[in-house]
Amino acid sequence: MKDKYEKLYKEAKRIIGDKTPLKKDCGTVCGAACCKGDKDTGMLLFPFEETTLTVNEKDGVRLAVCDGKCKREERPLSCRIFPFFPYVTAQGKITVIPDIRGVNVCPLVSNFSEVQFDRGFLWRVKKVGRLLYADEACREFLTETSREMDSIISLME
């Protein structure tokens, strides 16, 4: 099974490539706020995703945590697609939405309507979402996370 997921995430990372949400390094906007985790905060790992970063597991949730410095090519998938998420609609379709869980970290999320995002990046996140949705464990993860986001959004309204 390990080989299956290594191949899956390698393909997902290939699809994202070196694209970022903006046509420039978005970390220059916020001082790379999303890279400044601690032992209790970090980026959610996808099912069976391995990482070279420190992993903190709490209540069945696996987070990759770092001190703001990592080898860019070794970043987990969540880091590569942040601040977006391949959201599963009620009809089972993949769309790309800002990851509302990052609203307190990422100024791109909190100022979403004012930012000109790289459409190529968004297209790639959607393509990755479709790739992952074909796998049962990833489909369940994407769907559960999408419903979690629905709950957060409804609390904000």
Side-chain angles (χ1 to χ4, degrees):
M1 180 164 26
K2 182 180 176 186
D3 287 345
K4 170 187 170 183
Y5 285 97
E6 280 181 6
K7 287 179 184 177
L8 181 67
Y9 294 122
K10 184 176 182 177
E11 177 62 10
K13 291 172 182 179
R14 186 198 66 73
I15 291 168
I16 295 295
D18 61 358
K19 288 282 189 186
T20 60
L22 305 177
K23 292 193 182 217
K24 63 178 184 174
D25 180 359
C26 63
T28 61
V29 174
C30 62
C34 60
C35 293
K36 294 186 171 108
D38 58 34
K39 67 179 183 63
D40 295 317
T41 59
M43 297 304 281
L44 200 57
L45 292 173
F46 281 76
F48 308 106
E49 183 179 17
E50 299 301 320
T51 180
T52 58
L53 300 174
T54 302
V55 175
N56 181 4
E57 190 162 349
K58 185 176 181 181
D59 300 325
V61 175
R62 294 177 60 225
L63 296 175
V65 295
C66 71
D67 61 2
K69 297 179 183 96
C70 73
K71 293 181 181 177
R72 234 174 129 70
E73 65 276 0
E74 295 177 4
R75 292 173 298 152
L77 186 56
S78 289
C79 293
R80 294 167 189 260
I81 65 175
F82 190 78
F84 290 94
F85 189 80
Y87 174 87
V88 180
T89 68
Q91 297 77 29
K93 302 289 183 193
I94 298 292
T95 188
V96 177
I97 67 167
D99 191 334
I100 194 66
R101 299 166 301 168
V103 72
N104 293 324
V105 174
C106 181
L108 299 180
V109 175
S110 55
N111 297 301
F112 176 75
S113 62
E114 302 166 20
V115 179
Q116 182 66 40
F117 293 101
D118 182 343
R119 290 181 184 267
F121 175 78
L122 298 174
W123 176 84
R124 289 169 189 241
V125 173
K126 186 173 187 174
K127 188 172 180 179
V128 164
R130 287 178 175 159
L131 172 74
L132 297 178
Y133 194 77
D135 174 80
E136 184 178 348
C138 290
R139 180 173 47 253
E140 184 177 309
F141 174 81
L142 291 171
T143 302
E144 286 177 7
T145 304
S146 296
R147 299 302 71 86
E148 177 187 326
M149 288 185 191
D150 290 342
S151 295
I152 294 168
I153 291 166
S154 70
L155 289 173
M156 296 172 74
E157 294 175 343

